């Protein structure tokens, strides 16, 4: 009887322990589900209020992808959901790919950041306001070259919707920068010496990408495929619509007078400034590579010292543009501080596209988010609000 009583008590004790463990596991699961439900509800509510059709998002913690999700539609008309694997053009985040290709070409001895770009070009680029001052790749990559996007010509003339570019990149650049060219104008240049004024320049990124093509003997899409897309298994990413499976590509939308309309897909003549198409899942591998000094897991894509130089803040107290306060804005090689100097990475904006690829300064919490809908300038804050919601959620995930 004594042994039976002990066994009986032991069974009850084990059962109680099991119940406590099970309850604890359920509680943790419920907390996780509540957290997920909270962020999902928050994002869905804001996108519904603003009229955003689709969102893809990813959170990177300590250089590891820990969370992804999609919201709304990649194709609203056909009820196709936007997922973390949905592709779309990422606008100016593409400049970080151009920047990486520049640093890879430096590694190969094909270019030097501080060489006069006219050493590489088949035509001369000369700012008529400062004809004796050289322009370098470093100037192009930090937006201090003095080369300007002339509006509205630049936006009216560089988007191509019919699939055929009217001019190759090199011809367009020559016509834009060389006196006598059909796109030449004195307003293609600002009245500042190279290095003395920061003026965001898409055309400068186009020129930088063209120089890489000339010096490597490969188109930017081919060079990127060799040194970025293939090593990172970014199998669904590319620079051209012809390179990708359009079934995986999001439609693009634009809000006008409270109505959401679909707009056609397009490409750019100056594609090095914004032509990459990828998903949040695949882009996260590239972002991790940048955040981890040129390395993804155990695979090194770029020498550490060159990856460090790409992300290094180029502006110092003794060497900065006159219009820059470096605690609020600083720049790497097609890489910059954002959000008042509190984040690093890049944003992007094009018709039907708004994108973020930003990390905190310590590279602990990073967020990628794609929006397939353009809003009015007055509504732009909603994009930043949703980015901040995701960043705060990333902080929560890291703390747990």
């Amino acid at each position: 009887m004594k042994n039976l009583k002990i066994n009986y008590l032991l069974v009850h004790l084990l059962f109680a322990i099991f119940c406590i463990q099970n309850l604890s596991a359920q509680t943790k699961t419920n907390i996780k589900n509540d957290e997920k439900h909270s962020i999902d509800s928050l994002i869905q509510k804001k996108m519904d209020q603003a009229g955003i059709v689709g969102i893809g998002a990813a959170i990177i913690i300590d250089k590891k992808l820990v969370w992804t999700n999609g919201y709304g539609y990649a194709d609203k008309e056909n009820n196709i959901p936007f997922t973390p694997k949905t592709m779309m053009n990422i606008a100016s985040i593409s400049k970080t790919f151009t920047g990486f290709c520049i640093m890879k070409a430096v590694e190969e001895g094909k270019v030097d950041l501080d060489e006069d770009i006219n050493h590489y070009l088949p035509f001369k680029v000369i700012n008529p306001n400062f004809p004796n001052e050289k322009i370098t790749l470093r100037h192009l990559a930090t937006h201090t070259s003095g080369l300007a996007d002339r509006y509205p010509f630049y936006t009216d003339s560089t988007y191509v919707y019919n699939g055929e570019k009217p001019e190759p990149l090199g011809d367009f650049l020559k016509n834009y920068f060389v006196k006598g060219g059909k796109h030449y104008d004195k307003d293609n240049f600002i009245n500042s010496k190279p290095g003395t004024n920061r003026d965001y320049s898409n055309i400068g990124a186009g020129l930088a990408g063209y120089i890489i093509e000339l010096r490597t003997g490969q188109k930017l899409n081919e060079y990127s495929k060799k040194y970025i897309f293939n090593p990172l298994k970014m199998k669904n990413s590319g620079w051209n619509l012809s390179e990708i499976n359009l079934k995986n590509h999001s439609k693009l939308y634009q809000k006008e007078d409270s109505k959401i309309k679909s707009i056609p897909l397009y490409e750019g003549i100056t594609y090095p400034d914004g032509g990459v198409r990828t998903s949040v899942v695949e882009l996260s591998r590239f972002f991790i590579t940048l955040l981890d000094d040129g390395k993804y897991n155990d695979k090194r894509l770029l020498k550490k010292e060159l990856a460090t130089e790409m992300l290094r803040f180029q502006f110092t107290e003794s060497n900065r543009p006159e219009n820059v306060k470096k605690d609020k804005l600083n720049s790497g090689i097609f890489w910059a501080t954002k959000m008042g100097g509190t984040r690093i990475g890049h944003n992007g904006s094009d018709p039907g596209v708004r994108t973020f690829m930003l990390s905190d300064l310590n590279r602990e919490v990073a967020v990628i988010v794609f929006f397939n809908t353009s809003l009015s300038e007055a509504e732009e804050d909603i994009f930043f609000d949703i980015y901040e919601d995701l960043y705060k959620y990333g902080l929560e995930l890291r703390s747990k």
Side-chain angles (χ1 to χ4, degrees), residues 39 46 58 79 121 123 151-152 188 196 206 228 231 236 282 296 314-315 358 360 362 364 367 391:
I39 187 65
K46 289 184 177 180
N79 293 319
L121 292 167
F123 51 84
Y151 296 108
N188 294 349
T196 64
I228 303 173
N236 299 304
E282 294 197 355
Y296 183 76
Q314 305 281 314
F315 303 151
L358 300 175
D360 66 291
N362 295 323
E364 294 171 345
V367 172
Y391 178 74

Side-chain angles (χ1 to χ4, degrees), residues 101-373:
C101 289
I102 289 172
M103 300 313 293
K104 194 66 186 179
V106 170
E107 181 180 302
E108 294 185 316
K110 304 277 178 70
V111 296
D112 185 298
L113 289 177
D114 299 307
E115 177 64 77
D116 189 329
I117 59 172
N118 287 324
H119 179 73
Y120 304 129
L121 292 167
F123 51 84
K124 297 292 184 183
V125 175
I126 297 171
N127 186 333
N129 304 300
F130 299 92
N132 298 319
E133 297 291 331
K134 74 174 183 178
I135 299 169
T136 68
L137 276 170
R138 194 185 301 274
H139 290 141
L140 295 177
T142 56
H143 300 287
T144 59
S145 65
L147 306 181
D149 301 335
R150 174 165 52 89
Y151 296 108
F153 169 80
Y154 190 78
T155 47
D156 290 347
S157 304
T158 56
Y159 294 115
V160 180
Y161 290 88
N162 59 10
E164 292 186 9
K165 299 182 179 70
E167 285 180 283
L169 174 61
D171 290 352
F172 180 87
L173 293 168
K174 182 178 180 180
N175 279 318
Y176 192 88
F177 288 121
V178 177
K179 196 168 185 177
K182 61 183 177 180
H183 310 313
Y184 185 85
D185 191 282
K186 62 181 178 60
D187 291 333
N188 294 349
F189 309 86
I190 64 172
N191 191 19
S192 297
K193 284 173 58 175
T196 64
N197 187 294
R198 187 181 190 273
D199 189 66
Y200 192 86
S201 175
N202 289 291
I203 195 75
L207 184 59
Y210 179 58
I211 289 170
I212 298 308
E213 292 187 342
L214 291 172
R215 296 299 294 168
T216 62
Q218 293 180 282
K219 291 294 185 182
L220 206 56
N221 64 320
E222 297 165 352
Y223 198 68
S224 299
K225 190 173 184 179
K226 181 177 180 180
Y227 290 113
I228 303 173
F229 299 149
N230 284 347
L232 294 177
K233 294 183 168 56
M234 297 173 69
K235 297 179 180 179
N236 299 304
S237 300
W239 285 84
N240 305 315
L241 286 170
S242 59
E243 294 179 282
I244 62 172
N245 184 350
L246 292 179
K247 291 181 180 178
N248 299 328
H249 199 293
S250 176
K251 278 189 174 181
L252 303 181
Y253 297 87
Q254 195 160 327
K255 185 178 179 182
E256 290 182 359
D257 300 325
S258 300
K259 294 181 180 179
I260 307 295
K261 69 172 187 177
S262 175
I263 61 175
L265 299 183
Y266 53 84
E267 293 182 300
I269 295 175
T270 55
Y271 51 86
D273 68 8
V276 170
R277 296 163 195 280
T278 188
S279 65
V280 295
V281 168
E282 294 197 355
L283 182 58
S284 70
R285 298 170 203 160
F286 179 64
F287 198 18
I288 290 169
T289 302
L290 297 181
L291 296 173
D292 204 13
D293 296 320
K295 182 166 62 70
Y296 183 76
N297 295 333
D298 295 324
K299 186 177 294 184
R300 178 155 294 285
L301 279 73
L302 184 65
K303 283 184 178 179
K304 184 176 180 179
E305 58 267 31
L306 295 175
T308 300
E309 180 64 16
M310 179 179 171
L311 272 58
R312 178 181 71 84
F313 293 159
Q314 305 281 314
F315 303 151
T316 64
E317 200 54 49
S318 61
N319 180 31
R320 64 176 176 82
E322 295 165 359
N323 62 335
V324 164
K325 293 181 179 179
K326 64 184 184 64
D327 58 329
K328 299 295 183 183
L329 173 64
N330 216 313
S331 178
I333 303 302
F334 288 126
W335 174 269
T337 54
K338 301 287 183 180
M339 317 282 281
T342 64
R343 305 283 191 275
I344 49 175
H346 221 294
N347 298 343
S349 180
D350 267 330
V353 174
R354 201 69 168 89
T355 54
F356 293 75
M357 186 183 79
L358 300 175
S359 168
D360 66 291
L361 300 181
N362 295 323
R363 310 184 196 181
E364 294 171 345
V365 177
V367 172
I368 295 170
V369 56
F370 293 178
F371 303 90
N372 67 358
T373 312

Side-chain angles (χ1 to χ4, degrees), residues 5-168:
K5 188 173 183 180
I6 291 171
N7 288 338
Y8 178 77
L9 290 171
L10 184 61
V11 167
H12 275 269
L13 179 62
L14 291 171
F15 180 73
I17 291 171
F18 170 79
C19 288
I20 291 169
Q21 288 177 333
N22 191 49
L23 180 61
S24 175
Q26 286 181 338
T27 301
K28 288 179 181 177
T29 300
N30 288 337
I31 289 172
K32 287 181 180 179
N33 287 338
D34 287 345
E35 288 172 349
K36 183 178 184 302
H37 179 71
S38 176
I39 187 65
D40 290 349
S41 298
L42 187 61
I43 290 174
Q44 193 66 56
K45 180 181 178 181
K46 289 184 177 180
M47 66 186 292
D48 288 346
Q49 288 174 342
I52 298 168
V53 177
I55 295 176
I59 296 174
I60 297 163
I61 295 177
D62 296 326
K63 304 174 186 70
K64 300 289 182 185
L65 179 64
V66 301
W67 179 94
T68 62
N69 209 348
Y71 304 90
Y73 298 100
D75 182 341
K76 188 176 183 180
E77 292 73 21
N78 293 299
N79 293 319
I80 298 174
F82 201 114
T83 77
K85 293 183 179 180
T86 298
M87 297 179 61
M88 57 181 274
N89 40 317
I90 59 173
S92 285
I93 292 176
S94 307
K95 291 181 176 71
T96 60
F97 287 82
T98 299
F100 185 97
C101 289
I102 289 172
M103 300 313 293
K104 194 66 186 179
V106 170
E107 181 180 302
E108 294 185 316
K110 304 277 178 70
V111 296
D112 185 298
L113 289 177
D114 299 307
E115 177 64 77
D116 189 329
I117 59 172
N118 287 324
H119 179 73
Y120 304 129
L121 292 167
F123 51 84
K124 297 292 184 183
V125 175
I126 297 171
N127 186 333
N129 304 300
F130 299 92
N132 298 319
E133 297 291 331
K134 74 174 183 178
I135 299 169
T136 68
L137 276 170
R138 194 185 301 274
H139 290 141
L140 295 177
T142 56
H143 300 287
T144 59
S145 65
L147 306 181
D149 301 335
R150 174 165 52 89
Y151 296 108
F153 169 80
Y154 190 78
T155 47
D156 290 347
S157 304
T158 56
Y159 294 115
V160 180
Y161 290 88
N162 59 10
E164 292 186 9
K165 299 182 179 70
E167 285 180 283

